[in-house]
Amino acid sequence: MSVSTAAADRSLCAPLPVLGRDVTVPLVTGGEVAYAALDYAASAPALQRVWDDVAAYAPYYGSVHRGAGYLSQLSTDLFENARRTVAEFLGCRPDDQVVFTRSTTDSLNLLARALPAGCQVFVFETEHHASLLPWQDARVTYLDAPRTPRQAVRTLERALAGRDPHGPALVCVTGASNVTGELWPVRELAAAAHAHGARIVLDAAQLAPHHPVDIRDLDVDWVAFSGHKLYAPFGSGVLAGRADWLRAAEPYLAGGGASRKVTRRQDGGVAVEWHDSAARHEAGSPNVIGAYSIAAACKALTEAGWDTLVAREEQLIRTVRQGLAEVPEVRILSLFGDDAPRVGVLSFVVEGWNSSHFAAALSAEYGIGVRDGLFCAHPLVRTLLGTDPRTQGECGAPEAAPGEKSLNAVRVSFGAGTPDEHVERFVNAVRELVRDGARWQYRTEDGRCVPAV
């Protein structure tokens, strides 16, 4: 890194530089401004270091596992070293498996396919759809939204106490809410699950980019997360944890790489012997660059120091919460209350504003990118907004024209690549919009609020 670039990064006050930090966007009111990416909960920008590491590897790209050439062997070593790096990042046990997938959603669907026969699944209605929906083929018990961490544990304990004690069971829980950012009592929930003979999988999509995740310390059986929320490019994810259910299950995908031996049977069919390693569920040519980028992000976060990253993020959270608290028309959504520990994810509604209209104005007039809608967590958002959680809604899109009452909220999210200025600009923009109103006219187009031209 050159001296001038290093100085520019320091001026941003972000400990880990990300791609896009120099991008400018036009404003409807005229001129341009540096884009403030405050939608980390959906997809965090890739770390500059991750991008540089991937670019350095790209000329040496080769086939994986089945090639005799030098580049193939190099790529194979890189892929398997990435697996070991992720295992270390998660504090995996010696016999745990690390399976590379496409995303958190893919990881949890893989685990759902690996459930033993008769497995009963327990999941809170507050989960993201990635961890709420994959269990449709199992016996699922949906648990009501708790209002305190203690209530969450008690609710789970009561549900588990009433289950069949002889059959397998799985609890699925988030580590940090993608709507409120609130941290869930993972250790206590894991203890409750194990006390009743159940296993537990942690959806760490929102936790892993903000806090250390240690499988042994949390005493969970599996962890799932996505690369694109961990400052890596799109298209890669991880399922890590106990191997026995994964080894016993049919491969998630059937094909090359998952099979150890394939022969013709006398009856004319095909006999297959599947791998019992992570390869069993990684059929086809793997996403080597995706796996490598996740490993590079794991290294970057670890080397930056979690104490430093967490302390700074808590400062940003205080800035946002204090700023929004000064605007009476703003209501921050919360399950566990104002004092609950959280990561850099907050959702809110503004009195007198349709949330899509508000988000559109933040973008068009201030160059700030946030998210509006139900955040693929419909039952949770409906509960927080005081509506029937069974009511259907369209994911990520508003349900009424600007200015009309509709069921959605605004979400702001940030992390290790967020400059102080972006957060400060957001708080000031909220104040101005509430006080003065939008400076531009907006209309609905394809279900979204956009500037009128």
Side-chain angles (χ1 to χ4, degrees):
M1 178 183 293
S2 67
V3 173
S4 59
T5 303
D9 286 336
R10 283 196 300 273
S11 70
L12 289 174
C13 300
L16 290 174
V18 295
L19 293 179
R21 60 191 184 277
D22 300 323
V23 170
T24 59
V25 294
L27 302 179
V28 293
T29 51
E32 293 186 342
V33 67
Y35 182 65
L38 296 179
D39 192 16
Y40 276 46
S43 290
L47 294 178
Q48 183 67 57
R49 169 176 166 176
V50 171
W51 197 255
D52 292 344
D53 286 350
V54 169
Y57 159 66
Y60 301 94
Y61 182 91
S63 63
V64 177
H65 290 150
R66 294 174 288 280
Y70 178 82
L71 296 190
S72 177
Q73 295 177 40
L74 180 67
S75 293
T76 298
D77 287 345
L78 183 142
F79 183 67
E80 294 303 332
N81 283 333
R83 200 188 305 277
R84 286 186 283 272
T85 297
V86 172
E88 182 178 353
F89 179 76
L90 294 174
C92 288
R93 297 161 292 242
D95 57 348
D96 282 342
Q97 286 187 352
V98 173
V99 181
F100 286 115
T101 67
R102 294 178 298 174
S103 60
T104 307
T105 302
D106 196 37
S107 296
L108 293 171
N109 275 272
L110 189 166
L111 185 59
R113 287 276 299 274
L115 295 180
C119 187
Q120 188 171 4
V121 177
F122 297 83
V123 57
F124 286 94
E125 69 173 359
T126 47
E127 294 291 309
H128 185 281
H129 294 173
S131 47
L132 185 72
L133 302 180
W135 323 106
Q136 301 292 318
D137 294 334
R139 292 187 299 154
V140 188
T141 298
Y142 295 105
L143 307 176
D144 292 340
R147 285 301 185 170
T148 66
R150 184 179 180 84
Q151 186 183 22
V153 177
R154 289 200 303 264
T155 298
L156 179 61
E157 288 176 334
R158 285 195 299 269
L160 290 172
R163 80 174 188 91
D164 177 2
H166 302 294
L170 177 71
V171 176
C172 180
V173 67
T174 188
S177 171
N178 78 302
V179 177
T180 67
E182 292 165 316
L183 297 176
W184 276 63
V186 177
R187 288 186 187 86
E188 293 82 357
L189 292 167
H194 293 152
H196 289 85
R199 296 191 180 188
I200 184 167
V201 57
L202 171 64
D203 175 354
Q206 298 297 339
L207 183 62
H210 303 277
H211 284 259
V213 175
D214 190 295
I215 285 180
R216 284 174 291 192
D217 180 53
L218 295 172
D219 197 24
V220 295
D221 298 282
W222 291 277
V223 167
F225 69 87
S226 294
H228 70 96
K229 299 186 192 299
L230 196 77
Y231 308 102
F234 287 106
S236 56
V238 167
L239 176 66
R242 301 201 181 277
D244 54 349
W245 285 10
L246 299 177
R247 286 175 179 154
E250 287 295 305
Y252 185 46
L253 297 173
S259 55
R260 177 185 286 119
K261 181 181 179 181
V262 180
T263 58
R264 289 293 300 275
R265 297 194 307 258
Q266 288 186 348
D267 63 4
V270 174
V272 184
E273 180 183 334
W274 304 106
H275 282 293
D276 58 10
S277 64
R280 184 184 189 90
H281 299 290
E282 293 177 343
S285 296
N287 181 359
V288 184
I289 287 180
Y292 182 49
S293 66
I294 286 180
C298 290
K299 289 180 180 178
L301 290 167
T302 301
E303 292 171 7
W306 281 112
D307 289 345
T308 299
L309 296 176
V310 171
R312 180 178 181 275
E313 184 171 306
E314 288 176 347
Q315 176 186 344
L316 295 181
I317 293 170
R318 285 193 296 273
T319 298
V320 172
R321 288 183 59 81
Q322 291 171 4
L324 296 182
E326 295 171 359
V327 184
E329 294 84 354
V330 171
R331 176 167 71 92
I332 297 176
L333 305 183
S334 175
L335 269 177
F336 300 154
D338 291 343
D339 297 331
R342 66 194 69 223
V343 299
V345 179
L346 296 96
S347 296
F348 61 95
V349 291
V350 184
E351 183 182 345
W353 284 80
N354 169 272
S355 293
S356 179
H357 187 193
F358 200 85
L362 285 173
S363 174
E365 300 178 28
Y366 297 91
I368 298 170
V370 297
R371 177 147 304 210
D372 66 279
L374 300 176
F375 319 123
C376 291
H378 295 185
L380 171 57
V381 177
R382 293 181 186 284
T383 294
L384 296 172
L385 294 178
T387 62
D388 187 343
R390 295 168 295 182
T391 305
Q392 294 182 355
E394 182 182 355
C395 181
E399 299 172 351
E404 297 178 359
K405 181 179 180 181
S406 68
L407 183 65
N408 57 3
V410 179
R411 183 181 69 190
V412 56
S413 52
F414 40 85
T418 304
D420 293 1
E421 186 275 329
H422 289 184
V423 167
E424 293 162 1
R425 193 198 317 171
F426 165 77
V427 171
N428 290 332
V430 170
R431 291 195 189 105
E432 289 185 10
L433 282 173
V434 173
R435 183 189 65 218
D436 303 330
R439 291 172 287 172
W440 204 260
Q441 295 296 315
Y442 295 83
R443 60 185 175 84
T444 300
E445 180 179 295
D446 297 328
R448 293 214 57 81
C449 186
V450 297
V453 293

